[in-house]
Coordinates of all heavy atoms in Angstrom, one line a residue:
M56 N 0.8 -1.2 0.0 CA 0.0 0.0 0.0 C 0.9 1.2 0.0 O 0.7 2.1 -0.8 CB -0.9 0.0 1.2 CG -1.8 1.2 1.3 SD -3.0 1.2 2.6 CE -2.0 1.3 4.1
F57 N 1.8 1.4 1.0 CA 2.7 2.6 1.0 C 3.5 2.7 -0.2 O 3.8 3.8 -0.7 CB 3.5 2.6 2.3 CG 4.3 3.8 2.4 CD1 3.7 5.0 2.8 CD2 5.7 3.8 2.1 CE1 4.5 6.2 2.9 CE2 6.4 5.0 2.2 CZ 5.9 6.1 2.6
T58 N 4.1 1.6 -0.7 CA 4.9 1.6 -1.9 C 4.2 2.3 -3.1 O 4.8 3.1 -3.8 CB 5.4 0.2 -2.2 OG1 6.0 -0.4 -1.1 CG2 6.4 0.2 -3.4
S59 N 3.0 1.8 -3.4 CA 2.3 2.4 -4.5 C 1.9 3.9 -4.2 O 2.0 4.7 -5.1 CB 1.0 1.6 -4.8 OG 0.1 1.7 -3.8
F60 N 1.6 4.2 -3.0 CA 1.4 5.6 -2.6 C 2.6 6.5 -2.8 O 2.5 7.5 -3.4 CB 0.9 5.7 -1.1 CG 0.8 7.1 -0.6 CD1 -0.3 7.9 -1.0 CD2 1.8 7.7 0.2 CE1 -0.4 9.2 -0.5 CE2 1.7 9.0 0.6 CZ 0.6 9.7 0.3
A61 N 3.7 6.0 -2.4 CA 5.0 6.7 -2.5 C 5.4 6.9 -4.0 O 5.7 7.9 -4.5 CB 6.1 6.0 -1.8
R62 N 5.2 5.8 -4.7 CA 5.5 5.8 -6.2 C 4.6 6.9 -6.9 O 5.1 7.7 -7.7 CB 5.4 4.5 -6.8 CG 5.7 4.5 -8.3 CD 5.5 3.1 -9.0 NE 4.1 2.8 -8.9 CZ 3.5 1.7 -8.2 NH1 4.4 0.9 -7.5 NH2 2.3 1.5 -8.2
D63 N 3.3 6.8 -6.6 CA 2.4 7.8 -7.2 C 2.7 9.2 -6.8 O 2.7 10.1 -7.6 CB 1.0 7.5 -6.8 CG 0.4 6.2 -7.4 OD1 1.1 5.7 -8.4 OD2 -0.6 5.7 -6.9
L64 N 3.1 9.4 -5.5 CA 3.4 10.7 -5.0 C 4.6 11.3 -5.7 O 4.6 12.4 -6.2 CB 3.6 10.7 -3.5 CG 4.1 12.0 -2.9 CD1 3.0 13.1 -3.0 CD2 4.5 11.8 -1.5
F65 N 5.7 10.5 -5.7 CA 6.9 11.0 -6.3 C 6.9 11.2 -7.8 O 7.8 11.8 -8.3 CB 8.1 10.2 -5.8 CG 8.4 10.4 -4.3 CD1 8.2 9.4 -3.4 CD2 8.8 11.6 -3.8 CE1 8.4 9.6 -2.0 CE2 9.0 11.8 -2.5 CZ 8.8 10.8 -1.6
S66 N 5.9 10.6 -8.4 CA 5.8 10.7 -9.9 C 5.3 12.1 -10.3 O 5.4 12.5 -11.4 CB 5.0 9.6 -10.5 OG 3.6 9.8 -10.2
V67 N 4.8 12.8 -9.3 CA 4.1 14.1 -9.6 C 4.8 15.3 -8.9 O 4.3 16.4 -8.9 CB 2.6 14.1 -9.3 CG1 1.9 13.1 -10.2 CG2 2.3 13.8 -7.9
I68 N 6.0 15.1 -8.4 CA 6.7 16.2 -7.7 C 7.3 17.1 -8.7 O 7.8 16.8 -9.7 CB 7.8 15.6 -6.8 CG1 7.2 14.9 -5.6 CG2 8.8 16.7 -6.4 CD1 8.2 14.4 -4.6
T69 N 7.1 18.4 -8.4 CA 7.6 19.5 -9.3 C 8.6 20.3 -8.5 O 8.4 20.7 -7.4 CB 6.5 20.4 -9.7 OG1 5.5 19.6 -10.4 CG2 6.9 21.5 -10.6
V70 N 9.8 20.6 -9.2 CA 10.8 21.5 -8.5 C 10.4 22.9 -8.8 O 10.2 23.3 -10.0 CB 12.2 21.1 -9.1 CG1 13.2 22.1 -8.5 CG2 12.5 19.7 -8.7
V71 N 10.4 23.7 -7.8 CA 10.0 25.2 -8.0 C 11.3 26.0 -7.7 O 11.8 25.9 -6.6 CB 8.9 25.6 -7.0 CG1 8.5 27.0 -7.2 CG2 7.7 24.7 -7.3
P72 N 11.6 26.9 -8.7 CA 12.8 27.7 -8.5 C 12.5 28.8 -7.4 O 11.4 29.2 -7.2 CB 13.1 28.4 -9.8 CG 11.8 28.3 -10.5 CD 11.1 27.1 -10.0
G73 N 13.6 29.1 -6.6 CA 13.4 30.1 -5.6 C 12.8 31.5 -6.1 O 12.2 32.2 -5.3
L74 N 13.1 31.8 -7.3 CA 12.6 33.0 -7.9 C 11.0 33.1 -8.0 O 10.5 34.2 -8.1 CB 13.2 33.3 -9.3 CG 14.7 33.6 -9.3 CD1 15.2 33.6 -10.7 CD2 15.0 34.8 -8.6
A75 N 10.4 31.9 -7.8 CA 9.0 31.9 -7.9 C 8.3 32.4 -6.6 O 7.1 32.6 -6.5 CB 8.5 30.5 -8.2
V76 N 9.1 32.5 -5.5 CA 8.6 33.0 -4.2 C 8.9 34.4 -4.1 O 10.0 34.9 -4.2 CB 9.3 32.2 -3.1 CG1 8.8 32.6 -1.8 CG2 9.0 30.7 -3.3
S77 N 7.8 35.2 -3.7 CA 8.0 36.6 -3.6 C 8.8 37.0 -2.3 O 8.9 36.2 -1.4 CB 6.6 37.3 -3.4 OG 6.0 36.9 -2.2
Q78 N 9.4 38.2 -2.3 CA 10.1 38.6 -1.2 C 9.2 38.8 0.1 O 9.6 38.5 1.1 CB 10.7 40.0 -1.5 CG 11.9 39.9 -2.4 CD 13.1 39.2 -1.8 OE1 13.3 38.0 -2.0 NE2 13.9 39.9 -1.0
E79 N 7.9 39.1 -0.2 CA 7.0 39.2 0.9 C 6.8 37.9 1.6 O 6.9 37.8 2.8 CB 5.6 39.8 0.4 CG 4.6 39.9 1.5 CD 3.3 40.4 1.0 OE1 3.1 40.5 -0.2 OE2 2.4 40.6 1.8
S80 N 6.5 36.8 0.8 CA 6.4 35.5 1.4 C 7.6 35.0 2.1 O 7.6 34.5 3.2 CB 6.0 34.5 0.4 OG 4.7 34.7 -0.1
H81 N 8.8 35.3 1.5 CA 10.0 34.9 2.1 C 10.3 35.6 3.4 O 10.7 35.0 4.4 CB 11.2 35.1 1.1 CG 12.5 34.5 1.6 ND1 13.3 35.2 2.4 CD2 13.0 33.3 1.5 CE1 14.4 34.5 2.7 NE2 14.2 33.3 2.2
G82 N 10.0 36.9 3.4 CA 10.1 37.7 4.7 C 9.3 37.2 5.8 O 9.7 37.1 6.9
K83 N 8.0 36.9 5.5 CA 7.1 36.4 6.5 C 7.5 35.1 7.0 O 7.5 34.8 8.2 CB 5.6 36.3 5.9 CG 5.0 37.7 5.7 CD 3.6 37.4 5.1 CE 2.9 38.8 4.8 NZ 1.6 38.5 4.2
A84 N 7.9 34.2 6.1 CA 8.4 32.9 6.5 C 9.6 33.0 7.3 O 9.8 32.2 8.3 CB 8.6 32.0 5.3
L85 N 10.5 33.9 7.0 CA 11.8 34.0 7.8 C 11.4 34.5 9.2 O 12.0 33.9 10.2 CB 12.7 35.1 7.1 CG 14.1 35.2 7.7 CD1 14.8 33.9 7.8 CD2 14.8 36.3 7.0
V86 N 10.5 35.4 9.4 CA 10.1 35.8 10.7 C 9.5 34.6 11.5 O 9.8 34.4 12.7 CB 9.1 36.9 10.7 CG1 8.4 37.2 12.0 CG2 9.7 38.2 10.1
L87 N 8.7 33.8 10.8 CA 8.1 32.6 11.5 C 9.2 31.6 11.9 O 9.1 31.0 13.0 CB 7.1 32.0 10.6 CG 5.7 32.7 10.5 CD1 4.9 32.0 9.5 CD2 5.0 32.7 11.9
C88 N 10.1 31.3 11.0 CA 11.0 30.2 11.2 C 12.3 30.6 11.9 O 13.0 29.7 12.3 CB 11.4 29.7 9.7 SG 10.0 28.9 8.9
N89 N 12.6 31.9 12.0 CA 13.9 32.3 12.5 C 14.3 31.6 13.8 O 15.5 31.1 14.0 CB 14.0 33.8 12.6 CG 15.4 34.3 12.7 OD1 16.3 33.7 12.1 ND2 15.6 35.3 13.5
D90 N 13.4 31.5 14.7 CA 13.8 31.0 16.0 C 13.3 29.5 16.2 O 13.4 28.9 17.2 CB 13.2 31.8 17.2 CG 11.7 31.9 17.2 OD1 11.1 31.5 16.1 OD2 11.1 32.2 18.2
I91 N 12.8 28.9 15.1 CA 12.4 27.5 15.1 C 13.5 26.7 14.3 O 14.2 25.9 14.9 CB 11.0 27.3 14.4 CG1 9.9 28.1 15.1 CG2 10.7 25.8 14.3 CD1 8.6 28.1 14.3
D92 N 13.6 27.0 13.0 CA 14.7 26.4 12.2 C 14.8 27.2 10.9 O 13.9 26.9 10.0 CB 14.4 24.9 11.9 CG 15.6 24.2 11.3 OD1 16.5 24.9 10.8 OD2 15.6 23.0 11.2
P93 N 15.7 28.1 10.8 CA 15.8 28.9 9.6 C 15.9 28.1 8.3 O 15.5 28.6 7.2 CB 17.1 29.8 9.8 CG 17.2 29.8 11.3 CD 16.7 28.4 11.8
K94 N 16.4 26.9 8.4 CA 16.6 26.1 7.2 C 15.2 25.7 6.5 O 15.1 25.3 5.4 CB 17.3 24.8 7.4 CG 18.8 25.1 7.8 CD 19.6 23.8 8.0 CE 18.9 22.9 9.0 NZ 19.4 22.5 10.2
D95 N 14.1 25.9 7.3 CA 12.8 25.6 6.8 C 12.1 26.8 6.1 O 11.0 26.6 5.6 CB 11.9 25.0 7.9 CG 12.4 23.6 8.3 OD1 12.7 22.8 7.5 OD2 12.4 23.4 9.6
T96 N 12.7 27.9 6.1 CA 12.1 29.1 5.6 C 11.7 29.0 4.2 O 10.5 29.4 3.9 CB 13.1 30.3 5.7 OG1 13.5 30.5 7.0 CG2 12.6 31.6 5.1
A97 N 12.5 28.4 3.3 CA 12.0 28.2 1.9 C 10.8 27.4 1.7 O 9.9 27.8 0.9 CB 13.2 27.6 1.1
Y98 N 10.6 26.4 2.6 CA 9.4 25.5 2.4 C 8.2 26.3 2.9 O 7.1 26.2 2.3 CB 9.6 24.2 3.2 CG 10.9 23.5 2.9 CD1 12.0 23.4 3.7 CD2 11.1 22.9 1.6 CE1 13.1 22.7 3.4 CE2 12.2 22.3 1.2 CZ 13.2 22.2 2.1 OH 14.4 21.5 1.8
V99 N 8.3 27.0 4.0 CA 7.2 27.7 4.5 C 6.8 28.9 3.6 O 5.7 29.1 3.3 CB 7.5 28.2 6.0 CG1 6.4 29.2 6.5 CG2 7.8 27.1 6.9
A100 N 7.8 29.5 3.0 CA 7.6 30.6 2.1 C 6.9 30.1 0.8 O 5.9 30.7 0.3 CB 8.9 31.3 1.7
L101 N 7.2 28.9 0.3 CA 6.6 28.4 -0.8 C 5.1 28.0 -0.5 O 4.2 28.3 -1.3 CB 7.3 27.2 -1.4 CG 6.7 26.5 -2.6 CD1 6.7 27.5 -3.8 CD2 7.5 25.2 -3.0
S102 N 4.9 27.5 0.7 CA 3.6 27.2 1.2 C 2.7 28.4 1.2 O 1.6 28.4 0.7 CB 3.6 26.6 2.5 OG 2.4 26.4 3.1
M103 N 3.3 29.5 1.7 CA 2.6 30.8 1.7 C 2.3 31.3 0.3 O 1.2 31.8 0.0 CB 3.4 31.8 2.5 CG 3.5 31.6 3.9 SD 4.6 32.9 4.6 CE 4.2 32.7 6.3
E104 N 3.3 31.3 -0.5 CA 3.2 31.8 -1.9 C 2.1 31.1 -2.7 O 1.3 31.7 -3.4 CB 4.5 31.7 -2.6 CG 4.6 32.4 -3.9 CD 4.6 33.9 -3.8 OE1 5.1 34.4 -2.8 OE2 4.2 34.5 -4.8
L105 N 2.1 29.8 -2.5 CA 1.1 29.0 -3.3 C -0.3 28.8 -2.6 O -1.2 28.3 -3.1 CB 1.7 27.6 -3.6 CG 2.9 27.6 -4.5 CD1 3.4 26.2 -4.7 CD2 2.7 28.3 -5.8
D106 N -0.3 29.3 -1.3 CA -1.5 29.2 -0.5 C -1.9 27.8 -0.4 O -3.1 27.5 -0.6 CB -2.6 30.1 -1.0 CG -3.7 30.3 0.0 OD1 -3.4 30.2 1.2 OD2 -4.8 30.6 -0.4
I107 N -1.0 26.9 0.0 CA -1.2 25.5 0.2 C -0.6 25.0 1.5 O 0.3 25.7 2.0 CB -0.7 24.6 -1.0 CG1 0.8 24.8 -1.1 CG2 -1.4 24.9 -2.3 CD1 1.5 23.9 -2.1
P108 N -1.1 24.0 2.1 CA -0.5 23.5 3.3 C 0.8 23.0 3.1 O 1.2 22.4 2.1 CB -1.5 22.4 3.8 CG -2.7 22.6 3.0 CD -2.4 23.3 1.7
L109 N 1.7 23.1 4.1 CA 3.0 22.6 4.1 C 2.9 21.1 4.7 O 2.4 20.9 5.8 CB 4.0 23.4 4.9 CG 5.4 22.9 5.2 CD1 6.1 22.8 3.9 CD2 6.1 23.8 6.2
W110 N 3.5 20.2 4.0 CA 3.5 18.8 4.5 C 4.8 18.5 5.2 O 5.9 18.6 4.6 CB 3.3 17.8 3.3 CG 3.3 16.4 3.7 CD1 3.4 15.8 4.9 CD2 3.2 15.3 2.7 NE1 3.4 14.4 4.8 CE2 3.2 14.1 3.4 CE3 3.0 15.3 1.4 CZ2 3.2 12.9 2.8 CZ3 2.9 14.0 0.7 CH2 2.9 12.9 1.5
S111 N 4.8 18.3 6.5 CA 6.0 18.0 7.2 C 5.8 17.1 8.4 O 4.7 17.1 9.0 CB 6.5 19.4 7.8 OG 7.7 19.1 8.6
N112 N 6.8 16.3 8.8 CA 6.7 15.5 10.0 C 7.7 16.1 11.0 O 8.0 15.4 12.0 CB 7.0 14.1 9.7 CG 5.7 13.4 9.2 OD1 4.7 13.7 9.7 ND2 5.9 12.5 8.3
D113 N 8.3 17.2 10.8 CA 9.2 17.9 11.7 C 8.4 18.4 12.9 O 7.8 19.5 12.8 CB 10.0 19.0 10.9 CG 11.0 19.7 11.8 OD1 10.9 19.7 13.0 OD2 11.9 20.3 11.1
K114 N 8.4 17.7 14.0 CA 7.6 18.1 15.1 C 8.0 19.4 15.7 O 7.1 20.2 16.1 CB 7.7 17.0 16.2 CG 7.2 15.6 15.7 CD 6.8 14.8 16.8 CE 6.4 13.4 16.3 NZ 5.6 13.2 15.1
K115 N 9.2 19.8 15.7 CA 9.7 21.1 16.2 C 9.1 22.2 15.3 O 8.6 23.2 15.8 CB 11.2 21.2 16.3 CG 11.7 22.5 16.8 CD 13.2 22.5 16.8 CE 13.7 23.9 17.2 NZ 15.2 24.0 17.0
L116 N 9.1 22.0 14.0 CA 8.6 23.0 13.1 C 7.1 23.1 13.2 O 6.5 24.2 13.3 CB 9.0 22.6 11.7 CG 8.5 23.6 10.5 CD1 9.1 24.9 10.7 CD2 8.7 23.0 9.2
I117 N 6.4 22.0 13.3 CA 5.0 22.0 13.4 C 4.5 22.7 14.6 O 3.7 23.6 14.6 CB 4.4 20.5 13.4 CG1 4.7 19.9 12.0 CG2 3.0 20.5 13.7 CD1 4.5 18.4 12.0
R118 N 5.1 22.3 15.7 CA 4.7 22.9 17.1 C 5.0 24.4 17.0 O 4.2 25.2 17.5 CB 5.5 22.2 18.2 CG 5.1 22.6 19.6 CD 5.8 21.8 20.7 NE 7.2 21.4 20.4 CZ 7.7 20.3 20.0 NH1 6.8 19.3 19.8 NH2 9.0 20.0 19.8
G119 N 6.2 24.8 16.6 CA 6.6 26.2 16.5 C 5.7 27.0 15.7 O 5.3 28.1 16.1
L120 N 5.4 26.6 14.5 CA 4.5 27.3 13.6 C 3.1 27.4 14.1 O 2.5 28.5 14.1 CB 4.5 26.7 12.2 CG 5.8 26.8 11.4 CD1 5.6 26.0 10.1 CD2 6.1 28.2 11.1
R121 N 2.6 26.3 14.6 CA 1.2 26.3 15.2 C 1.2 27.3 16.4 O 0.2 27.9 16.6 CB 0.8 24.9 15.5 CG 0.5 24.2 14.2 CD -0.1 22.8 14.5 NE -0.5 22.2 13.2 CZ -0.7 20.9 13.0 NH1 -0.6 20.0 14.1 NH2 -1.1 20.4 11.8
N122 N 2.2 27.3 17.2 CA 2.2 28.2 18.4 C 2.2 29.6 18.0 O 1.8 30.5 18.7 CB 3.5 27.9 19.3 CG 3.3 26.6 20.1 OD1 2.2 26.1 20.3 ND2 4.4 26.1 20.6
K123 N 2.7 29.9 16.8 CA 2.8 31.3 16.2 C 1.5 31.6 15.4 O 1.4 32.7 14.8 CB 4.0 31.5 15.4 CG 5.3 31.5 16.3 CD 6.5 31.7 15.4 CE 7.7 31.8 16.2 NZ 8.9 32.2 15.4
G124 N 0.6 30.7 15.4 CA -0.7 30.9 14.7 C -0.7 30.4 13.2 O -1.7 30.6 12.5
Y125 N 0.4 29.8 12.7 CA 0.4 29.4 11.3 C -0.1 28.0 11.3 O 0.4 27.0 11.8 CB 1.9 29.4 10.8 CG 1.9 29.1 9.3 CD1 1.6 30.1 8.4 CD2 2.3 27.8 8.8 CE1 1.7 29.9 7.0 CE2 2.3 27.6 7.5 CZ 2.0 28.6 6.6 OH 2.0 28.4 5.2
E126 N -1.3 27.8 10.7 CA -2.0 26.5 10.7 C -2.0 25.8 9.4 O -2.5 24.6 9.4 CB -3.5 26.8 11.1 CG -3.7 27.3 12.5 CD -3.3 26.3 13.6 OE1 -3.4 25.1 13.4 OE2 -2.9 26.8 14.7
K127 N -1.4 26.3 8.4 CA -1.3 25.7 7.1 C -0.2 24.6 7.0 O 0.7 24.8 6.3 CB -1.2 26.6 6.0 CG -2.5 27.4 5.7 CD -2.5 28.0 4.4 CE -3.9 28.6 4.1 NZ -4.1 29.0 2.8
I128 N -0.3 23.7 7.9 CA 0.8 22.6 8.0 C 0.1 21.3 8.3 O -0.8 21.3 9.2 CB 1.8 23.0 9.0 CG1 3.0 22.0 8.9 CG2 1.3 23.2 10.4 CD1 4.3 22.6 9.5
V129 N 0.4 20.2 7.6 CA -0.2 18.9 7.9 C 1.0 17.9 8.0 O 2.0 18.0 7.4 CB -1.2 18.5 6.8 CG1 -2.3 19.4 6.7 CG2 -0.5 18.5 5.4
T130 N 0.7 16.8 8.8 CA 1.6 15.7 8.9 C 1.2 14.6 8.0 O 0.0 14.5 7.5 CB 1.6 15.2 10.4 OG1 0.3 14.7 10.7 CG2 1.9 16.3 11.4
T131 N 2.0 13.6 7.8 CA 1.7 12.4 7.1 C 0.5 11.7 7.7 O -0.4 11.2 7.0 CB 2.9 11.5 7.0 OG1 4.0 12.2 6.3 CG2 2.6 10.3 6.2
E132 N 0.6 11.6 9.1 CA -0.5 11.0 9.8 C -1.9 11.7 9.5 O -2.9 11.0 9.2 CB -0.3 11.0 11.3 CG -1.3 10.3 12.1 CD -1.0 10.3 13.6 OE1 0.2 10.5 13.9 OE2 -2.0 10.2 14.4
E133 N -1.9 13.0 9.4 CA -3.1 13.7 9.2 C -3.6 13.4 7.7 O -4.8 13.3 7.5 CB -2.9 15.2 9.4 CG -2.8 15.5 10.8 CD -2.3 17.0 11.1 OE1 -1.6 17.5 10.2 OE2 -2.5 17.5 12.2
I134 N -2.6 13.3 6.8 CA -3.0 13.1 5.4 C -3.6 11.6 5.3 O -4.6 11.4 4.6 CB -1.8 13.2 4.5 CG1 -1.4 14.7 4.3 CG2 -2.0 12.6 3.1 CD1 -0.2 15.0 3.6
F135 N -2.9 10.7 5.9 CA -3.4 9.3 5.9 C -4.8 9.2 6.6 O -5.7 8.4 6.1 CB -2.5 8.3 6.6 CG -1.3 7.9 5.7 CD1 -0.1 7.8 6.2 CD2 -1.5 7.6 4.4 CE1 1.0 7.4 5.4 CE2 -0.5 7.2 3.5 CZ 0.8 7.1 4.1
D136 N -5.0 9.9 7.6 CA -6.3 10.0 8.2 C -7.4 10.4 7.3 O -8.5 9.9 7.3 CB -6.4 10.8 9.5 CG -5.6 10.2 10.7 OD1 -5.3 9.0 10.6 OD2 -5.3 10.9 11.6
L137 N -7.1 11.4 6.4 CA -8.0 11.9 5.4 C -8.2 10.9 4.3 O -9.4 10.8 3.8 CB -7.5 13.2 4.9 CG -7.5 14.4 5.8 CD1 -6.8 15.6 5.2 CD2 -9.0 14.8 6.2
L138 N -7.2 10.2 3.9 CA -7.3 9.3 2.8 C -7.9 7.9 3.1 O -8.5 7.3 2.2 CB -5.9 9.1 2.2 CG -5.2 10.3 1.5 CD1 -3.8 10.0 1.1 CD2 -6.1 10.8 0.3
F139 N -7.6 7.5 4.3 CA -8.0 6.1 4.6 C -8.9 6.0 5.7 O -9.1 6.3 6.7 CB -6.7 5.2 4.9 CG -5.8 5.2 3.8 CD1 -4.6 5.9 3.9 CD2 -6.0 4.6 2.7 CE1 -3.6 6.0 2.9 CE2 -5.1 4.5 1.6 CZ -3.9 5.3 1.7

């Protein structure tokens, strides 16, 4: 079950260049991520730019963002709960 899910998922991944993210989204994401994990800024910024949830299992990131009021983040468990 997971193997086919992973294969299907990874067959539709798209690489997005950093230039596709506005300075505004990047700045907001940097403020959110700075004291959580600055390496996650690009992912949060892309989520903001595309207005889609960020999929992550990084518990520190999830907790930190949610504590700051950023709710557009989902875990693999939450996705599986919706699908199955």
